[in-house]
Amino acid sequence: MSLPQHPACPVVIDVAGIALTDADRRRLAHPLVGGVIHFARNWVDRRQLVALNAEIKAIRPDLLIAVDHEGGRVQRFRSDGFTALPPMRRLGRRWHRRGGDPAARALAAIEDATACGHVLAAELRACGVDLSFTPVLDLDHGASAVIGDRAFDRDPRIVSLLARGLVQGMLQAGMAHCGKHFPGHGWAAADSHTDVPVDARPLSAILADDAAPYGWLAQVLTAVMPAHVVYPRVDRRPAGFSRRWLRDILRGRLGF
């Protein structure tokens, strides 16, 4: 494997299967590798996952082991004792449920989010996973199929409060988390796994709406994942490659 020889660019890699190969071990030992992300192909059962993660840590105790494990359709491990978690939209709908006191409904939804976060994190931590790439902070504009029911709600205030509940539960179980996809993927219809989505709104509109949760949660989030979306009225580069989005706005303006 050839990696760029630059001390400030650690990368997160994946491994090929359910056990490490010699090539995996060589890559994991490289000083520019900072972590590992697991996928469904790396899972058979809890015993196998525990053994895989133990071997990774034996090679490099400092490596971060992560996974996309949100609930709903984005949950990599679903059997052998793992709880089937709901999509986050269900928590948003609980917030809006009719009948009773609105404040009580909101508190119940936040409590449910905290419970989901605790279960999610406790089950992963028991298998040696350090971080889950959740919560999704995108707003449900109804345009993005790849986001869809992964979003809590359309209202950034509700998204922020439910996400805060979720990460509180995760932190109680000893797990770091990652808000995504900054500054927001919900407006752009294209799937960034296969295309380059474009959001042509002005910066003021994005900051007032989609990016608002990042400012409100800046002192809570342990990590942020940028969107692979181009916002041409802000920068020609996708957010993840944009100094303006990451340094000037996320860090400088929003205080992350």
Side-chain angles (χ1 to χ4, degrees):
M1 177 184 64
S2 176
L3 288 174
Q5 298 303 307
H6 192 296
C9 60
V11 296
V12 175
I13 66 171
D14 58 351
V15 296
I18 60 174
L20 297 183
T21 65
D22 289 341
D24 290 329
R25 295 184 185 93
R26 287 195 301 273
R27 293 186 182 104
L28 291 169
H30 196 289
L32 289 185
V33 172
V36 180
I37 180 171
H38 286 323
F39 296 93
R41 70 169 185 267
N42 304 119
W43 161 263
V44 172
D45 55 33
R46 293 169 63 89
R47 183 175 182 178
Q48 167 269 323
L49 183 63
V50 168
L52 173 62
N53 290 335
E55 186 175 5
I56 291 170
K57 291 290 189 177
I59 294 170
R60 289 266 307 281
D62 60 321
L63 286 175
L64 188 71
I65 300 176
V67 66
D68 276 319
H69 200 86
E70 305 166 7
R73 57 194 161 97
V74 182
Q75 181 173 339
R76 304 306 185 205
F77 316 136
R78 296 175 176 271
S79 58
D80 197 19
F82 272 90
T83 303
L85 298 166
M88 295 301 101
R89 178 186 283 169
R90 191 175 301 173
L91 297 171
R93 287 180 173 172
R94 180 168 177 78
W95 183 295
H96 294 292
R97 186 177 297 174
R98 295 183 180 181
D101 177 53
R105 293 200 310 270
L107 288 172
I110 294 171
E111 288 175 355
D112 285 354
T114 302
C116 280
H118 191 276
V119 169
L120 182 157
E123 292 177 352
L124 290 174
R125 290 294 296 129
C127 292
V129 178
D130 301 310
L131 179 147
S132 179
F133 292 113
T134 190
V136 171
L137 300 179
D138 302 310
L139 306 187
D140 187 7
H141 289 282
S144 174
V146 72
I147 300 302
D149 65 358
R150 297 165 66 192
F152 290 102
D153 199 75
R154 167 62 183 86
D155 188 325
R157 298 167 299 181
I158 295 174
V159 168
S160 298
L161 289 169
L162 291 175
R164 191 181 186 98
L166 186 86
V167 302
Q168 179 180 341
M170 294 179 69
L171 290 170
Q172 288 171 347
M175 173 166 277
H177 55 274
C178 179
K180 60 186 185 184
H181 309 82
F182 176 80
H185 196 319
W187 180 269
D191 181 350
S192 59
H193 296 97
T194 55
D195 297 295
V196 181
V198 175
D199 184 339
R201 292 176 297 163
L203 176 61
S204 58
I206 297 170
L207 289 178
D209 202 14
D210 294 64
Y214 294 92
W216 294 332
L217 298 173
Q219 305 307 314
V220 177
L221 296 173
T222 54
V224 169
M225 179 189 296
H228 195 67
V229 176
V230 176
Y231 308 86
R233 296 179 69 175
V234 182
D235 194 340
R236 63 182 178 82
R237 301 177 184 86
F241 298 93
S242 167
R243 182 184 180 90
R244 187 172 186 205
W245 275 118
L246 299 182
R247 296 290 297 274
D248 299 344
I249 299 172
L250 180 63
R251 177 171 291 182
R253 187 178 300 199
L254 300 181
F256 182 79

